[in-house]
Amino acid sequence: MIHCEGLVKIFKTADLEVFALQGLDLQIETGELMAIIGNSGSGKSTLLNMLGGLDRPTAGKLIVDGKDMLKFKERDLVNYKRKCVGFVWQNNARNLIPYLTAQENVELPILLTGSRKRWRAKDLLDAVGLSHRAKNKLYQLSGGEQQRVAIAIALANHPKLLLADEPTGSVDSKMSNQILDLFRELNRNMGITIVIVTHDPELAKKVDRVAAIRDGKISSEMLRRRSYAEELALLEQDDSDSSHVEYAILDKAGRLQVPSNYLDTLGLKNSNKVRLEMVDGKIVILPPEEKEE
Ligand SMILES: Nc1ncnc2c1ncn2[C@@H]1O[C@H](COP(=O)(O)OP(=O)(O)OP(=O)(O)O)[C@@H](O)[C@H]1O
Ligand SMILES: [Mg+2]
């Protein structure tokens, strides 16, 4: 579904350039439900905006659903946003209109596309488990319920790809679980590819694949050992980190990013050279040799 290679995004302001994405590589399969985690400012929203066609990469390769986004004309972008992707924003106010009811909020984007299928709003609210709150004004709903209205809206155009930026940022862990369950259900029942940006490691643990982003680059990936169903049984007692295997990223040129805590432990932080040796079929990383006096 998504192929990013050496993706670069530079924001230019009057007095400085920000390198928000610095050669990011990422593949996402059709029908996948995955999470992207990373610290504030690491480039998560920037990446999501590129995937959603809301902003253009500065350089690199970005293919979504077989389409080369760097070759998109303005009209292609509009089409893409209208037909292929659904977006749940980091900031709730950007999704919703507070003085309309839940149902009116969902009807609005449907009517704006020129469709008369107002009734679809009911189906969509049903799909996110909110039909009983359809007549309530937005401000009368809880944060999690509002977020579900936002998800219903994101689904209005039958997207193949659903992008969610911190969808559980402002709700408690119970509600956050419910929202994740909803994503899982949409993923399974409708086959929508879903990418969730979060900095909540608890949420990330509950999807099959997590890519960690650091300084605008994917720094590692965690893949689930067992299926989520098997996991659920264990989840109650087990809160260790054993649910995922962590992988470092090896790029096409053979460059490897070593986790910074390893470098710290070995005191390699201030050195830009290491020795590599092959020992028993394993690659061993060693500090530089001490100079002889
Ligand atoms: N429009 C912009 N103009 C200039 N700099 C920007 C712009 N948008 C983002 N940046 C910068 O790019 C970097 C990445 O920002 P981004 O919003 O992608 O981070 P993030 O990982 O989503 O962070 P958070 O978790 O806080 O939402 C930051 O240094 C940010 O200041
Ligand atoms: Mg962000």
Side-chain angles (χ1 to χ4, degrees), residues 4 44 64 67 89-90 92 98 111 155 179 187 196 210 248 287:
C4 303
K44 302 181 301 296
V64 182
K67 294 180 267 285
W89 306 94
Q90 185 163 13
N92 222 330
L111 299 176
L155 295 172
I179 291 175
N187 172 252
I196 305 169
V210 187

Side-chain angles (χ1 to χ4, degrees), residues 29 63 82 93 111 125 159 167 235 244 259:
E29 301 301 323
I63 315 279
R82 201 176 276 165
L111 299 176
L125 283 174
L235 212 62
H244 291 77

Side-chain angles (χ1 to χ4, degrees), residues 41 44-46 90 165-166 197:
K44 302 181 301 296
S45 296
T46 305
Q90 185 163 13
D165 198 349
E166 295 281 359
V197 160

